[in-house]
Amino acid sequence: SGSMIKIKVQSHDDSTERTVLLSSSDLTKLTNEHARSLQGVLETCAGAFDANETVIAATSEIELGTVLRNLRSLSIQYEESMNYVESMMERQLIAAIGKRLTQDDLQTYVRYHDARLLSPAPKPFSLAIRRPEHYPTGLVSIETMGGENDCIHSHSRQVNVGSTITVALNSATQVQLSGNQYLHGWMNHRFGAD
C-alpha cells in the first residue's frame, strides 16, 4: 500500500479502532514543502542585500548560516519529539507495571529465574573460614552496595582437590594454604545507566 507510518486512532463516536496511514507520497510532499520553504528563505536572504551595499559577509556565508539555523531548529524539534515519545512510553510502562523498576527489582527477577533455570542454582557468596576439624573462625562474603547489603549469588565449582597454594608474604616468609579450592562466577545484571 506504500504506507510508511501507521497511526492508530480511537474513534470518539464508537469503540472501533481505525488506522490512519501516512503514505510515502505524503512524506515526499512534506519533504518537498520543507525544501521549497527553505529555498524561499534563502532567496529572501540573497535579495535583502543590494549589489551596491557594502556587505561584511558574502551571500554564500549568509545562505550557509540560514541552512545551519534550519538544521539546528530541525534537530531541536527532533530531540523534543523523541523526548516526548520516550516520556509518554515511560509513563505508560510505569502505569502498566504499577511502579518504577529499580536495580533491586531486576536482581530479584534474575535470581528467581536463575534458581528455576540453572542447575545448580547460584548460591549466596558467604563462606565460613575454618581450620580442619574446628569451628568457623570467620566469614568471607561479598555484598552488594544497595540498601539491603545482601550477598551476591554466584556459581561455584570445586577445582584442584587437595592441592596446596604457596603465597610469599615477603622475601623470608611463605604461607602454605591447603584445603578445597573453589572457582566462583558472578554475573552482575544491571540497567545501562547504573
Side-chain angles (χ1 to χ4, degrees):
S1 67
S3 301
M4 300 282 293
I5 299 174
K6 287 186 179 181
I7 304 170
K8 292 192 176 182
V9 177
Q10 185 78 27
S11 176
H12 294 291
D13 301 335
D14 56 1
S15 62
T16 59
E17 189 177 272
R18 54 193 173 105
T19 304
V20 178
L21 301 176
L22 189 57
S23 67
S24 58
S25 64
D26 291 338
L27 286 175
T28 303
K29 289 176 185 175
L30 185 66
T31 306
N32 290 341
E33 176 58 26
H34 178 76
R36 188 200 59 76
S37 64
L38 180 60
Q39 185 62 39
V41 170
L42 291 174
E43 289 170 2
T44 303
C45 289
F49 298 99
D50 278 342
N52 298 333
E53 286 187 34
T54 304
V55 180
I56 296 174
T59 306
S60 60
E61 292 170 339
I62 295 170
E63 289 176 352
L64 178 64
T66 303
V67 170
L68 290 176
R69 272 195 304 276
N70 182 263
L71 287 175
R72 181 175 179 266
S73 174
L74 287 175
S75 66
I76 289 171
Q77 290 175 11
Y78 176 78
E79 180 184 10
E80 289 174 353
S81 299
M82 291 300 106
N83 287 340
Y84 172 75
V85 169
E86 184 178 324
S87 171
M88 180 180 62
M89 290 176 69
E90 181 183 18
R91 284 193 311 268
Q92 290 175 352
L93 185 61
I94 291 170
I97 294 174
K99 68 176 187 174
R100 180 180 294 275
L101 295 178
T102 64
Q103 180 73 25
D104 293 335
D105 296 323
L106 179 62
Q107 287 297 332
T108 302
Y109 174 83
V110 169
R111 282 186 188 160
Y112 171 76
H113 286 286
D114 281 352
R116 293 184 63 210
L117 298 174
L118 302 176
S119 178
K123 296 178 183 169
F125 189 94
S126 180
L127 307 169
I129 300 172
R130 69 177 79 213
R131 294 183 297 164
E133 301 177 16
H134 288 79
Y135 287 108
T137 57
L139 184 71
V140 173
S141 66
I142 300 177
E143 299 176 343
T144 61
M145 293 180 55
E148 297 180 15
N149 285 336
D150 59 347
C151 295
I152 65 168
H153 285 59
S154 67
H155 303 275
S156 180
R157 179 178 176 199
Q158 187 172 358
V159 293
N160 295 337
V161 179
S163 65
T164 302
I165 298 176
T166 303
V167 178
L169 297 179
N170 57 33
S171 60
T173 309
Q174 291 185 346
V175 175
Q176 288 188 341
L177 303 173
S178 61
N180 296 330
Q181 296 174 20
Y182 294 88
L183 177 65
H184 296 276
W186 173 56
M187 291 194 326
N188 184 21
H189 300 276
R190 61 188 176 99
F191 290 117
D194 291 342

